[in-house]
Structure formats: C-alpha cells, structure tokens
Amino acid sequence: GTTLRAAAAEKGRYFGAAVATGKLSDSTYSTVLNREFNSVVAENEMKWDATEPQQGRFSYTGGDRLVSHARANGMSVRGHTLLWHAQQPSWAQGLSGSALRNAAINHVTQVATHFRGQIYAWDVVNEAFADGGSGGRRDSNLQRTGNDWIEAAFRAARAADPGAKLCYNDYNTDGINAKSTGIYNMVRDFRSRGVPIDCVGFQSHLGTTIPGDYQANLQRFADLGVDVQITELDVMTGGNQANIYGTVTRACLAVSRCTGITVWGVRDCDSWRGSDNALLFDCAGNKKAAYTSVLNALNAG
Ligand code: G3I
C-alpha cells in the first residue's frame, strides 16, 4: 500500500487519527486525513462535557459531523469516551452517590443509543485505574459510587448499541506492569462473569523508549479473548521516534487480535503534546521519518 490506510487494510487492520472537526475545513488537514486514514475518533467532541453540557440536554453536533465525514470518506469511527473522571460537565462534578450513578448510566444509554450502528468500538470507560504500583482503581467521583460502576457502564452500553465493540481504554499500560495487570485482572473477571467487554485500548502516549514487553502485553490481553487496539499513539520526538513508531506497528501486526492503530492527531501542530512533535506529519502536512517507518512496517512481510 502507498498510504497508511491502504497498507493497513491489506493486513486486515485500520489506521486511524483523532480529529477535531473544526479543522476539517483546513484543506491541508483534511487532505492528509482523507488520504491516509480509514478510521477516526473525536479528540474531544464525544466526551461527557461536550455531549451533555446540561443534565438531560444532549448535544451531538460535533459527533454527528465526524460520523458523517467518516461515512463520506470510507472511515470507521471509534467512540471516545462514555465515562471518564476528566472532562465531565460541571453539573456532574457536583453530583455523588446514586444521583451520579444514575446520571452516568443514563449518559451511557443516551449517547450510545444516539450513535447506535455507527460506532465500530466505544471506549466505554477511560482511565479508571491508578498509576503507580497499587494495581487498583483510581479514586474519582465515579469510583466512589461503587466498584461496580464499570460493569454497570458496559452492560448499559451493550443494551444501547449491541453492534458496537465495547472497550476499556487506559494509558501507562504499554508494558507488563502493576497498572496493566490490574486491568488484565478486571478483564479476566469480566469475561468469566459474562460482563460484556470486547476490547482493550492501549493509548500508547510514549516518550523516548518503549517497554521491551510491549507486544507480550498486548498478547496476554488478546489471550483473554478480547480484541486489542492502539488507541492514542504519539511518540516524543528524538532519535528513536521513527523506530518506536515502527516497533508499535510491528507489535500490532504480530498480534492477530490487534485490529488497528490510532494516532492522537494528524500533524505535529495538532497534537496536545505541542513541542514534542509527536505525530507522523509536520505542520505543513509533509510525511516525517516516523511516517515512513510505519508505512514500511505495515507493508513488510
Ligand atoms: O473547547 C474549549 C474552549 O471553548 C475554551 O475556550 C478553551 C480554553 O481553555 O478550552 C477548550 O477546551 C479544551 C479542549 O481540549 C478542546 O480544545 C480544554 O481546555 C482542554 O483541556 C482539552 O484538552 C484535551 C484533553 O484530552 C482534556 O483532558 C485534549 O485536546 C485532548 O487531546 C486530550 O485527549 C486525552 C484523551 O481524551 C484521553 N487520553 C489522554 C489524552 C491526552 O491528554
């Protein structure tokens, strides 16, 4: 393949990018997006603060625009994210207990119902595990409604959109460590009890190194019977950037249940990481060495 999307498709994978719909009118941006990517995710526009700014009043403008752009350009859509401790609307930040639990589950039901049939995979819950060595849950207003909030969210999402794959998504899970093992144990428990979970997203916001057990970590989750996806890939600039991008791509291709890779933005200037220049295209839309590394990895073998 001569583009990321074509090369990935030849391997039965997708190659996606996070999108801010306000940039779709920038022709440099949309030319690269439409040529190179066959999956999109909203960088912000499907989050709780964007979709339910006032309780019970839903706003789907940005999400609907992204879905229609995807449909017009042969792209699938990842949904990001139904529940997260961050980017909650202020009204939700002020709730607790059963009022918050009920509002959260209603949010999952309403949003997943609105987009029913249009989402390949939903990040049902994002970043619910703690950093560091505990392997446990992150403290949050959602966690304080009871440890079962995650499974309640997955059950509500399944009921609302039975065709979407339902994912748990997190960061600092790029090797075998206490945090990824905590998530692994949750997924294993969910699978054994019939809680509907289909996939795990590995954000892969990487620095200048990549854990040596990156592929093995993906594989151990796949061995639980779930798909895995690289969901928010970006890599700090430096001598290793192109190599690390290639290593991630090869790891996904080596794991049969790794169904696709998403980078967290199109050009370096679009990235939340600013001066890290963490993406595959420079600000003028030119391909970087990291791009060539990914494309060659997709085309190898
Ligand atoms: O839309 C408002 C705008 O109205 C306001 O004037 C402006 C002033 O600050 O803020 C705008 O909102 C910003 C939003 O991005 C849209 O640009 C928020 O302040 C800003 O916090 C928000 O940042 C996003 C961040 O998530 C929020 O936590 C980043 O764009 C987005 O890339 C980032 O994405 C997250 C994933 O969802 C989860 N994993 C980590 C990843 C990187 O942090």
Side-chain angles (χ1 to χ4, degrees):
T2 59
T3 63
L4 300 175
R5 61 182 285 168
E10 286 167 9
K11 295 287 163 43
R13 291 356 191 250
Y14 66 80
F15 209 94
V19 168
T21 60
K23 294 177 180 167
L24 291 173
S25 56
D26 171 342
S27 65
T28 305
Y29 182 87
S30 57
T31 297
V32 174
L33 178 71
N34 298 345
R35 185 186 69 220
E36 298 289 343
F37 298 95
N38 60 358
S39 170
V40 287
V41 60
E43 187 175 1
N44 289 294
E45 289 158 282
M46 290 194 195
K47 292 172 180 176
W48 198 352
D49 61 348
T51 51
E52 196 180 0
Q54 296 167 273
Q55 187 167 15
R57 300 184 59 145
F58 292 84
S59 171
Y60 298 116
T61 312
D64 286 347
R65 190 178 297 145
L66 185 64
V67 167
S68 88
H69 184 88
R71 182 174 288 175
N73 290 281
M75 301 163 167
S76 61
V77 181
R78 295 193 87 262
H80 176 82
T81 174
L82 293 170
L83 292 179
W84 187 21
H85 66 273
Q87 278 181 289
Q88 295 181 2
S90 52
W91 63 263
Q93 294 174 41
L95 296 181
S96 62
S98 61
L100 176 61
R101 172 66 71 93
N102 292 339
I105 297 304
N106 182 58
H107 180 76
V108 170
T109 298
Q110 295 298 322
V111 176
T113 298
H114 175 82
F115 290 109
R116 176 165 51 210
Q118 303 180 301
I119 303 295
Y120 165 71
W122 264 113
D123 292 334
V124 178
V125 169
N126 191 46
E127 300 177 8
F129 276 72
D131 289 310
S134 77
R137 299 285 182 85
R138 171 195 297 276
D139 179 55
S140 72
N141 60 344
L142 291 164
Q143 182 63 26
R144 290 191 291 272
T145 72
N147 203 52
D148 63 339
W149 73 277
I150 297 181
E151 62 193 84
F154 275 83
R155 291 186 200 280
R158 178 71 95 225
D161 186 355
K165 291 189 182 298
L166 304 182
C167 301
Y168 177 82
N169 190 53
D170 215 325
Y171 68 91
N172 283 351
T173 53
D174 310 305
I176 297 176
N177 58 37
K179 185 175 180 179
S180 63
T181 298
I183 295 163
Y184 176 88
N185 289 336
M186 179 188 75
V187 174
R188 188 175 53 186
D189 171 57
F190 280 13
R191 301 289 296 176
S192 74
R193 291 191 294 114
V195 178
I197 184 167
D198 307 305
C199 39
V200 176
F202 298 82
Q203 294 185 9
S204 301
H205 294 295
L206 297 173
T208 55
T209 60
I210 180 168
D213 52 9
Y214 186 89
Q215 181 183 319
N217 188 47
L218 298 180
Q219 187 64 58
R220 72 171 173 155
F221 280 86
D223 290 343
L224 292 175
V226 292
D227 289 345
V228 296
Q229 296 151 7
I230 313 307
T231 53
E232 304 184 15
L233 180 61
D234 48 27
V235 181
M236 191 178 289
T237 200
N240 288 322
Q241 185 183 52
N243 289 339
I244 291 173
Y245 265 108
T247 299
V248 169
T249 305
R250 285 187 292 274
C252 181
L253 292 175
V255 174
S256 60
R257 293 199 76 137
C258 182
T259 63
I261 298 173
T262 298
V263 289
W264 203 243
V266 176
R267 304 163 300 191
D268 285 341
C269 302
D270 302 314
S271 172
W272 72 296
R273 297 182 63 165
S275 60
D276 281 353
N277 293 324
L279 293 172
L280 300 177
F281 296 87
D282 70 18
C283 297
N286 298 307
K287 299 167 182 175
K288 295 167 55 183
Y291 171 94
T292 306
S293 178
V294 170
L295 186 67
N296 288 344
L298 289 171
N299 282 327

